[in-house]
């Protein structure tokens, strides 16, 4: 952290930003609004699948598991997990499903993913 402070100071970064950098891992007190914002953004980005200390194998397995859940539903032609698993694109067979059934499948897939 001291190295980070020196680098930021070397480039003339404002003291508020330096304090935000120091506090973002909760090692220093939150002295500025920017400190809280940086910590919140770090927490949000850190909880997404694949964000931190995850092997490529685990990451790919998780995406494959999400796709398998979606593909297990009748009427789903193909599913693709995107953005570290935060989004799933699902292609259905329009001849097999009505619009209402497609909407219900989307809800059911989301519920099963939450449970799993």
């Amino acid at each position: 952290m001291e190295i980070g402070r020196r680098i930021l100071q070397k480039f003339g970064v404002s003291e508020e930003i330096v304090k935000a950098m120091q506090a973002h891992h909760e090692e220093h007190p939150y002295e500025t609004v920017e400190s809280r914002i940086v910590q919140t953004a770090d927490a949000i980005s850190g909880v997404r699948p694949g964000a931190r200390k995850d092997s490529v194998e685990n990451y790919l397995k998780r995406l494959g598991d999400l796709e398998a859940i979606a593909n297990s539903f009748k009427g789903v032609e193909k599913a693709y997990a995107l953005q570290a698993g935060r989004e799933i694109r699902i292609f259905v067979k329009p001849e097999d499903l009505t619009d209402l059934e497609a909407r219900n499948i989307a809800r059911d897939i989301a519920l099963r993913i939450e449970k799993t």
Side-chain angles (χ1 to χ4, degrees):
M1 175 177 18
E2 183 59 33
I3 293 171
R5 173 181 259 296
R6 288 181 190 169
I7 290 171
L8 293 177
Q9 288 173 333
K10 176 182 176 181
F11 290 102
V13 174
S14 72
E15 190 61 26
E16 290 83 11
I17 301 301
V18 173
K19 288 178 181 179
M21 179 276 303
Q22 290 180 151
H24 98 277
H25 284 293
E26 300 178 0
E27 295 170 359
H28 282 274
Y30 299 110
E31 298 179 40
T32 65
V33 172
E34 291 86 357
S35 298
R36 288 285 183 187
I37 292 170
V38 169
Q39 172 57 30
T40 302
D42 185 59
I44 291 169
S45 72
V47 297
R48 66 182 167 70
R52 304 242 168 101
K53 299 180 184 174
D54 201 5
S55 70
V56 173
E57 293 82 16
N58 287 339
Y59 173 77
L60 293 175
K61 182 184 180 318
R62 186 171 28 257
L63 294 181
D65 291 346
L66 291 170
E67 291 172 356
I69 289 171
N71 284 320
S72 71
F73 283 80
K74 183 178 181 273
V76 172
E77 186 172 337
K78 186 68 181 155
Y80 299 95
L82 307 168
Q83 298 183 12
R86 291 177 297 196
E87 180 179 334
I88 300 177
R89 299 276 170 97
I90 299 169
F91 296 88
V92 298
K93 300 172 189 168
E95 63 274 3
D96 293 350
L97 298 173
T98 66
D99 289 346
L100 180 60
E101 289 170 325
R103 184 180 72 82
N104 290 340
I105 284 177
R107 184 199 64 231
D108 294 344
I109 291 170
L111 291 173
R112 187 173 301 168
I113 288 170
E114 287 177 6
K115 287 178 186 176
T116 307

